[in-house]
Amino acid sequence: MRSSTDDMGVDSQVIPKWTKNPSYGPKCKTPISRDELKGIMRMSESLDSFITQFMLMPEVTASFGHPELIKEACALLSLSSEDASLPQLVSYDATFKCGDFYLSPIVMRNIKLEGNPVFPLAFCLHKEKLTSYHENFLCEIVTKLGAEHMRNVPFLTDRERGLRQPLQRNFPHIPNVYHWNHILNDVNTWIKKHRRTNDPTVLKDHIVLLLNSSSEEEYQHNYEQCRLLWSQPFKQYFDKELKDVIPKHAAKFFIQKFSAFKNDVAATNNICEIMDRVVKTKSDWKKMPVDRLIHSVYHMQAFFVHEFQRAYCGPENYALKEQFSHLRKRTGESQFPSCCPLATIVDSIESEENKED
């Protein structure tokens, strides 16, 4: 990535206004520091093709992904397009907060390996939950992956408008599935605001019952029975927000059309929860400056590249499925990138920075 202002997404016509009048500057309360900016630019030069987009205006945003994992993801989606029985899932979650920024990962399964391990293939770093940031990022990554290979691959998101609208508008042929946990969280938020007139336990049980409907007929029957016990405000909320959404994007009878959900409807939640645990429990991400955060993500992805390459050469932490044994490589045929354990990523980066100082 070149370091010119054009490449960083900064409109040269805006720069004079920004320098003369602070009101034209970024709206963020804690703008990126000069040292962080220098760190990001150094990474863009040293980590070839990792940072694919970096913008300073109107807010600091960046997209990045290890090129080897992007390449691996393309191969996995190509396999899934040829064999619908493979339990592939792709997920995009914008709820992970890191300091002053949101870190939104696109996550998928490596369906060539036993256990279908989850890995992050790309990230968007952004200050605000704006549709335009998600749209630019999704269009960039889905185009790289090959949208034509995703017609039978469920793309999981929450119901946030900034996430679902870009997919529906740009890739209507990609099936969009909503996370059950996010639907239940939305209902729980509504309940907290209307607790006096509603029984929280009953309403949550009803939503779970509706999500587990095995057919459209069963869903309609469950709906008619449940609404008899609902308050008028909740009837209005459900009919407006969820009545048509659940059967089209979340109900059991819809999601089990896809191999990923044949034996596990909870997969709508697990794929994101697994990734959250990787980030939250392995490193202290919330206190890091932006440049160190991006550097940490690079090392996290390098770890997955390393582990996958080891698996393709023989059983290690991961192992090839028998049906893909023909893809096994000899050790000499693979390059193993240097990496460090997930638990020591932040400490390793801090140690490197201290040596440079």
Side-chain angles (χ1 to χ4, degrees), residues 112-233:
K112 291 189 291 188
L113 302 180
E114 295 289 349
N116 304 308
V118 171
F119 68 95
L121 65 98
F123 292 82
C124 180
L125 186 78
H126 51 104
K127 287 284 293 185
E128 304 291 341
K129 291 185 177 183
L130 298 180
T131 300
S132 58
Y133 298 155
H134 296 306
E135 184 153 21
N136 291 340
F137 177 59
L138 287 171
C139 286
E140 173 194 354
I141 300 302
V142 173
T143 299
K144 284 183 178 180
L145 296 178
E148 68 278 6
H149 295 315
M150 301 178 70
R151 294 180 181 275
N152 297 314
V153 175
F155 200 118
L156 284 84
T157 67
D158 62 24
R159 295 195 314 116
E160 186 179 318
R161 183 175 300 175
L163 298 185
R164 70 175 189 264
Q165 284 188 343
L167 273 178
Q168 294 169 355
R169 181 163 50 242
N170 297 286
F171 307 103
H173 60 283
I174 298 178
N176 190 190
V177 174
Y178 295 153
H179 297 289
W180 284 19
N181 274 357
H182 286 295
I183 291 176
L184 291 168
N185 287 340
D186 288 346
V187 171
N188 193 51
T189 299
W190 187 93
I191 290 172
K192 288 180 179 179
K193 296 178 180 179
H194 304 81
R195 187 174 294 273
R196 291 184 180 180
T197 57
N198 298 272
D199 184 330
T201 302
V202 171
L203 292 183
K204 292 176 185 177
D205 287 346
H206 285 178
I207 298 302
V208 172
L209 177 66
L210 291 166
L211 287 168
N212 275 290
S213 299
S214 297
S215 67
E216 291 188 46
E217 294 75 19
E218 183 179 331
Y219 174 80
Q220 188 61 33
H221 172 76
N222 289 338
Y223 166 72
E224 295 294 344
Q225 294 298 309
C226 290
R227 75 188 311 272
L228 295 175
L229 302 176
W230 294 345
S231 66
Q232 189 60 33

Side-chain angles (χ1 to χ4, degrees), residues 16-31:
K17 297 179 181 179
W18 182 20
T19 57
K20 295 177 182 179
N21 187 344
S23 66
Y24 285 97
K27 298 177 181 178
C28 53
K29 295 179 181 180
T30 53

Side-chain angles (χ1 to χ4, degrees), residues 89-92 105-109 118-122 271-272 275:
L89 279 176
V90 179
S91 177
Y92 183 50
I106 293 183
V107 180
M108 65 184 294
R109 289 172 166 176
V118 171
F119 68 95
L121 65 98
I271 189 169
C272 279
M275 200 64 250

Side-chain angles (χ1 to χ4, degrees), residues 19-79:
T19 57
K20 295 177 182 179
N21 187 344
S23 66
Y24 285 97
K27 298 177 181 178
C28 53
K29 295 179 181 180
T30 53
I32 188 170
S33 71
R34 183 173 297 180
D35 287 341
E36 289 174 301
L37 180 58
K38 288 180 179 179
I40 293 172
M41 297 313 299
R42 284 198 301 268
M43 278 188 289
S44 72
E45 295 171 356
S46 62
L47 305 179
D48 186 39
S49 302
F50 176 64
I51 301 176
T52 57
Q53 186 179 69
F54 178 54
M55 299 176 66
L56 289 175
M57 297 281 285
E59 295 279 1
V60 175
T61 59
S63 58
F64 37 91
H66 199 296
E68 288 300 316
L69 282 186
I70 298 290
K71 180 179 177 182
E72 183 68 32
C74 291
L76 291 169
L77 289 171
S78 179
L79 285 173

Side-chain angles (χ1 to χ4, degrees), residues 90-104:
V90 179
S91 177
Y92 183 50
D93 193 351
T95 59
F96 189 64
K97 196 78 164 64
C98 289
D100 297 313
F101 289 85
Y102 291 98
L103 186 64
S104 301

